[in-house]
């Protein structure tokens, strides 16, 4: 027999979804107003086209901030309209008609699933591309940056292989004062110093010019020390690595982000932390919709003397603490206290335990 939603399911789902999206759109509108008032001087000074402001910036601004604030407004939404149902004795009437508390949760979980799937879709496909366009707009019309050179770049390109570049020019894709070291344990095996390294975009290799090459054995200088006017070499390092910033991982589609993690793991690159945090955040954030929905219903399904205001205060406090905990948990990754997967999912794990405890108490 095919299951059909009841009037109760439609009623709660409609309340949930309408309240959630109306509240979310209102806060996004407020954020846009504040953001525009902060950046309007930059727009005018750098003569940003109106179309670019509206399409390239604010149209791509909305998905990012809508997804960022979705946990907060899932919780507030559930607290708000469930408290009103409880205050109007509607929940008492629902339970008095033989509908169990667990059955009443079905439309809530269904609504949370829609929001979670929407958030996941935004994280995997929409937001990375939107961030790429938005960041390019910010770099052109908002942020002050040195667009021509990057200084003092260190990279580990393979275990035991290190590259240092004093200056990288984006104007001609050339690295100046280029050094490549190969180290085993504490011993320096070889060192190549070049006046410049020019990126060949066709052959996808580097032309090292005016090279000074030294070869070592157990840290002792060998007899072979020689100069070369030019050495062509292929390294697991491309010009794209010099354009990459720590927040560039936010611009990468899921497939490219996964490939970047694989490359950085092979290199032993310390900057892999940024990519791992972004990777796990894309999945952990949508899952919060279920946890916060269960906590919200469990807290607000009973009529309280303090009324709606008290429930909202609790909801806002818990949702903010959840968001802050998610941001704070990233510090565990940067300090090497926890693996990225555990650190990013830790808020979900702890709040899931809280949700289970509250859910077991709520029917009583």
């Amino acid at each position: 027999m095919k299951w059909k939603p009841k009037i109760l399911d439609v009623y709660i789902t409609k309340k949930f979804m309408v309240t959630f999206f109306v509240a979310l759109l209102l806060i996004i509108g407020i954020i846009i107003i504040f953001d525009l008032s902060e950046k309007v001087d930059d727009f005018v000074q750098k003569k940003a086209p109106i179309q670019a402001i509206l399409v390239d910036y604010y149209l791509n601004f909305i998905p990012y901030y809508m997804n960022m604030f979705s946990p907060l407004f899932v919780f507030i939404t559930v607290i708000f309209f469930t408290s009103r149902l409880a205050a109007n004795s509607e929940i008492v009437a629902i339970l008095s008609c033989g509908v169990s508390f667990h059955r009443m949760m079905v439309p809530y979980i269904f609504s949370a699933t829609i929001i979670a799937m929407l958030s996941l879709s935004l994280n995997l496909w929409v937001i990375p591309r939107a961030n790429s366009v938005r960041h390019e707009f910010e770099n052109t019309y908002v942020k002050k940056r040195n667009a021509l050179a990057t200084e003092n770049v260190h990279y580990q390109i393979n275990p035991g292989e290190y590259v240092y570049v004093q200056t990288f020019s984006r104007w001609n894709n050339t690295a100046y004062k280029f050094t490549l070291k190969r180290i085993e344990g504490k011993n320096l095996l070889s060192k190549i110093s070049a006046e410049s390294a020019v990126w060949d975009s066709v052959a996808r290799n580097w032309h090292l010019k005016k090279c000074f090459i030294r070869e070592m054995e157990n840290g002792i200088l060998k007899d072979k020390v020689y100069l070369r006017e030019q050495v062509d070499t292929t390294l697991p390092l491309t010009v794209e690595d010099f354009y990459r910033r720590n927040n560039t991982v936010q611009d990468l589609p899921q497939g490219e982000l996964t490939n970047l993690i694989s490359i950085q793991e092979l290199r032993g690159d310390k900057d892999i932390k940024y990519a791992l945090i972004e990777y796990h955040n894309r999945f952990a954030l949508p899952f919060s919709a279920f946890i916060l929905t269960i906590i919200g219903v469990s807290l607000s399904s009973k009529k309280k003397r303090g009324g709606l205001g008290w429930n909202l205060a609790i909801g806002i406090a818990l949702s903010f603490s959840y968001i802050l905990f998610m941001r704070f948990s990233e510090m565990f990754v940067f300090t090497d206290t926890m693996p990225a997967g555990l650190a990013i999912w830790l808020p979900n794990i702890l709040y899931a335990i809280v949700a289970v405890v509250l859910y077991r108490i709520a029917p009583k």
Side-chain angles (χ1 to χ4, degrees):
M1 183 176 179
K2 190 176 180 181
W3 180 83
K4 292 183 179 180
K6 297 182 179 180
I7 296 175
L8 174 64
D9 299 316
V10 176
Y11 178 69
I12 291 178
T13 302
K14 183 179 178 181
K15 285 276 188 181
F16 195 143
M17 301 307 295
V18 170
T19 306
F20 172 76
F21 283 108
V22 168
L24 199 56
L25 289 174
L26 285 174
I27 193 63
I28 292 298
I30 294 171
I31 292 172
I32 288 175
I33 291 171
F34 278 101
D35 186 78
L36 179 60
S37 64
E38 180 184 350
K39 294 186 173 69
V40 66
D41 291 338
D42 292 320
F43 295 159
V44 173
Q45 183 180 357
K46 297 187 178 181
K47 299 179 181 178
I50 297 296
Q51 183 177 355
I53 295 172
L54 296 177
V55 178
D56 294 345
Y57 185 62
Y58 282 113
L59 189 61
N60 293 301
F61 176 100
I62 292 172
Y64 176 77
Y65 284 95
M66 184 172 72
N67 194 55
M68 177 190 292
F69 287 104
S70 64
L72 172 64
F73 283 94
V74 164
F75 206 20
I76 291 177
T77 295
V78 172
I79 291 284
F80 179 76
F81 85 83
T82 305
S83 295
R84 294 199 63 177
L85 293 179
N88 296 331
S89 300
E90 292 180 69
I91 290 181
V92 173
I94 291 169
L95 298 177
S96 299
C97 293
V99 177
S100 68
F101 186 81
H102 306 299
R103 176 61 183 84
M104 189 186 74
M105 283 296 300
V106 170
Y108 282 98
I109 298 300
F110 174 74
S111 302
T113 302
I114 294 175
I115 294 171
M117 294 303 294
L118 175 62
S119 177
L120 184 63
S121 300
L122 289 174
N123 276 336
L124 297 184
W125 296 293
V126 178
I127 291 177
R129 292 178 175 84
N131 280 344
S132 179
V133 177
R134 180 170 60 88
H135 288 154
E136 185 60 33
F137 176 91
E138 289 176 337
N139 291 333
T140 304
Y141 298 109
V142 179
K143 294 181 180 178
K144 297 178 181 179
R145 64 170 185 168
N146 185 351
L148 298 179
T150 301
E151 298 181 346
N152 296 323
V153 178
H154 297 263
Y155 270 116
Q156 179 174 328
I157 58 175
N158 273 319
E161 285 189 280
Y162 301 89
V163 165
Y164 169 73
V165 172
Q166 187 179 78
T167 305
F168 177 78
S169 173
R170 300 182 182 184
W171 180 70
N172 57 2
N173 287 338
T174 300
Y176 295 97
K177 301 296 181 183
F178 177 95
T179 303
L180 172 63
K181 293 181 181 179
R182 290 185 174 90
I183 299 173
E184 184 177 338
K186 295 183 179 180
N187 297 322
L188 178 65
L189 301 182
S190 66
K191 179 179 178 181
I192 301 176
S193 301
E195 284 294 317
S196 63
V198 182
W199 172 251
D200 187 333
S201 58
V202 177
R204 294 192 69 79
N205 63 8
W206 295 93
H207 303 307
L208 308 184
K209 298 184 177 181
K210 295 184 179 180
C211 301
F212 180 76
I213 302 172
R214 297 195 305 173
E215 292 183 354
M216 310 282 193
E217 186 174 354
N218 297 325
I220 301 174
L221 185 64
K222 292 177 66 177
D223 293 335
K224 291 185 179 180
V225 179
Y226 44 92
L227 299 174
R228 290 287 186 270
E229 190 63 30
Q230 179 171 315
V231 174
D232 296 341
T233 182
T234 300
L235 299 171
L237 179 74
T238 67
V239 71
E240 288 83 5
D241 291 305
F242 290 97
Y243 285 86
R244 185 176 297 122
R245 307 174 306 277
N246 291 336
N247 67 343
T248 303
V249 293
Q250 299 176 359
D251 304 350
L252 298 179
Q254 192 64 20
E256 293 182 22
L257 180 62
T258 304
N259 291 337
L260 175 62
I261 291 173
S262 300
I263 293 170
Q264 290 182 323
E265 283 179 343
L266 180 64
R267 292 178 178 177
D269 193 338
K270 293 182 179 179
D271 286 342
I272 193 175
K273 296 173 183 178
Y274 296 98
L276 288 173
I277 288 172
E278 176 66 19
Y279 178 87
H280 289 290
N281 267 331
R282 291 183 181 184
F283 294 95
L285 188 66
F287 190 76
S288 67
F290 298 104
I291 298 172
L292 297 179
T293 295
I294 294 172
I295 294 177
V297 176
S298 301
L299 286 175
S300 58
S301 57
K302 292 182 180 179
K303 185 185 295 187
K304 292 183 176 63
R305 184 173 297 178
L308 180 62
W310 178 246
N311 284 338
L312 276 177
I314 295 175
I316 291 172
L318 280 173
S319 55
F320 267 114
S321 67
Y322 174 82
I323 294 173
L324 288 174
F325 192 10
M326 286 195 69
R327 297 304 174 199
F328 182 76
S329 65
E330 295 178 4
M331 298 304 299
F332 296 138
V333 184
F334 292 121
T335 56
D336 293 322
T337 306
M338 293 181 184
L342 177 60
I344 300 304
W345 281 89
L346 184 61
N348 280 345
I349 294 171
L350 296 180
Y351 277 74
I353 295 172
V354 174
V356 169
V357 172
L358 292 175
Y359 184 73
R360 290 175 66 89
I361 296 172
K364 301 176 183 179

